[in-house]
Amino acid sequence: MAKEVLRTVQPAHKSDRITVAQAKRAWLKVEAESRNGGSNTRGKSKPASTGRAKKS
Amino acid sequence: MPRSYDNSVFINCPFDSAYRPLFEAVAFAVYDCGFYPRSALEVDDSSQVRIDKIQTIIRQSRLSVHDISRTQLDTTNRLPRFNMPLELGIFLGAKAFGSGDQKRKAAVVFDTKPYRYQKYISDIAGQDIRAHGRKPTEAIREVRNFLATQCAAGVILPGGDKLAERYRHFRKRLPAACREVHVDPTKLTFSDLTNLIVGWLEAHPLLTGG
């Protein structure tokens, strides 16, 4: 039956609503991570120093 | 700015996954222009008959965006879908036969190509019918241009290119933002989508170069 097949975006359900405040926080976090090169790569691009001096 | 009759925009369009990018783009453009998108999806009340929901929203909306581009033969039953033309007819009827504020209604009608409508719904000739070519950025530009004619005197909306650029930014980061709030970006409710749009707009105000 083709009826309603084309209306697949879900109606709003109050129980699982995202609030605007939650959404805004999510966007700000995503933007901050994007500016920092992504949370998954944070700290990995530059290996920690071993403290040893380079041999000349 | 609170939602009112004057700034409410009824979006009459298909809700399938193929149309989803256009739906999101139109909803985004409406918000970014300072108006409020309204949709039959905003109400989750099984006790209310669908057409009643739609009539209520139409009564509460001065403006509307109608997309009749999906008027085509269904591959299964070889019949066209007529929900969108029906809802356009209700809107035009409200303007024609309603009183007071209903007379001030204004609409823009989208189709895939200019003049295609003349082959199946020629009675609407004379309405403001525009082609989006199934491109979200084109739909954004057309929605912006329509709403620019409906703003209060002295208000200048950002250009269509700017709005399209902001939409692309929103869309690019939407999956990441959805992960933060634990929702599947392909299964957003209308409420989820609109709150994510408003959240993005609050985080990226236009006047500060967002």
Side-chain angles (χ1 to χ4, degrees), chain B residues 18 21 28-29 37 40 47-48 61 69 97 109 116 132 177-178 186 194 205 210:
Chain B
F28 182 92
S47 68
Q48 196 179 8
S61 303
S69 64
F97 305 121
V109 182
R116 189 185 80 116
H132 55 48
C178 286
T186 65
T194 55

Side-chain angles (χ1 to χ4, degrees), chain B residues 193-207:
Chain B
L193 175 66
T194 55
N195 285 342
L196 281 160
I197 292 172
V198 176
W200 189 91
L201 295 176
E202 288 191 3
H204 301 80
L206 217 116
L207 291 177

Side-chain angles (χ1 to χ4, degrees), chain A residues 2-3 7 9-10 13-14 16 20 27 32 37 40 44 48 50-51 53 55:
Chain A
K3 195 172 77 172
R7 297 234 166 189
V9 174
Q10 302 299 305
H13 291 276
K14 285 178 184 168
D16 59 13
V20 170
W27 284 114
N40 292 337
K44 291 180 183 174
T50 58
K55 287 181 181 175

Side-chain angles (χ1 to χ4, degrees), chain A residues 2 4 6-13 16-20 22-24 26-31 34, chain B residues 15-17 20 41 44 50 81 83-84 169-170 173-174 180 189-192 195-196 199-200 202 204:
Chain A
E4 296 304 320
L6 292 180
R7 297 234 166 189
T8 54
V9 174
Q10 302 299 305
H13 291 276
D16 59 13
R17 269 189 181 173
I18 302 164
T19 66
V20 170
Q22 286 172 323
K24 184 178 177 181
W27 284 114
L28 291 172
K29 187 175 176 190
V30 166
E31 296 296 345
S34 173
Chain B
F15 298 137
D16 57 288
S17 56
R20 178 86 191 197
L41 295 172
D44 183 28
R50 183 179 196 94
R81 290 185 55 80
N83 282 333
M84 276 64 78
H169 187 164
F170 165 82
R173 304 249 196 274
L174 183 61
E180 290 296 326
T189 66
F190 182 72
S191 168
D192 293 339
N195 285 342
L196 281 160
W200 189 91
E202 288 191 3
H204 301 80

Side-chain angles (χ1 to χ4, degrees), chain B residues 67-143:
Chain B
D67 193 319
I68 56 174
S69 64
R70 200 52 72 71
T71 309
Q72 59 196 27
L73 293 183
D74 183 271
T75 52
T76 309
N77 56 27
R78 307 288 298 159
L79 289 170
R81 290 185 55 80
F82 258 80
N83 282 333
M84 276 64 78
L86 171 66
E87 291 166 27
L88 168 60
I90 295 170
F91 189 91
L92 296 177
K95 180 175 181 175
F97 305 121
S99 57
D101 281 345
Q102 298 298 316
K103 295 282 187 201
R104 297 192 294 112
K105 284 185 178 313
V108 62
V109 182
F110 284 140
D111 203 346
T112 47
K113 295 177 186 170
Y115 312 114
R116 189 185 80 116
Y117 71 93
Q118 290 177 347
K119 294 172 185 163
Y120 60 92
I121 188 168
S122 58
D123 280 359
I124 62 168
Q127 302 292 322
D128 191 4
I129 297 168
R130 305 180 191 190
H132 55 48
R134 297 195 178 95
K135 294 177 184 163
T137 51
E138 200 53 41
I140 287 171
R141 287 189 186 94
E142 293 295 350
V143 167

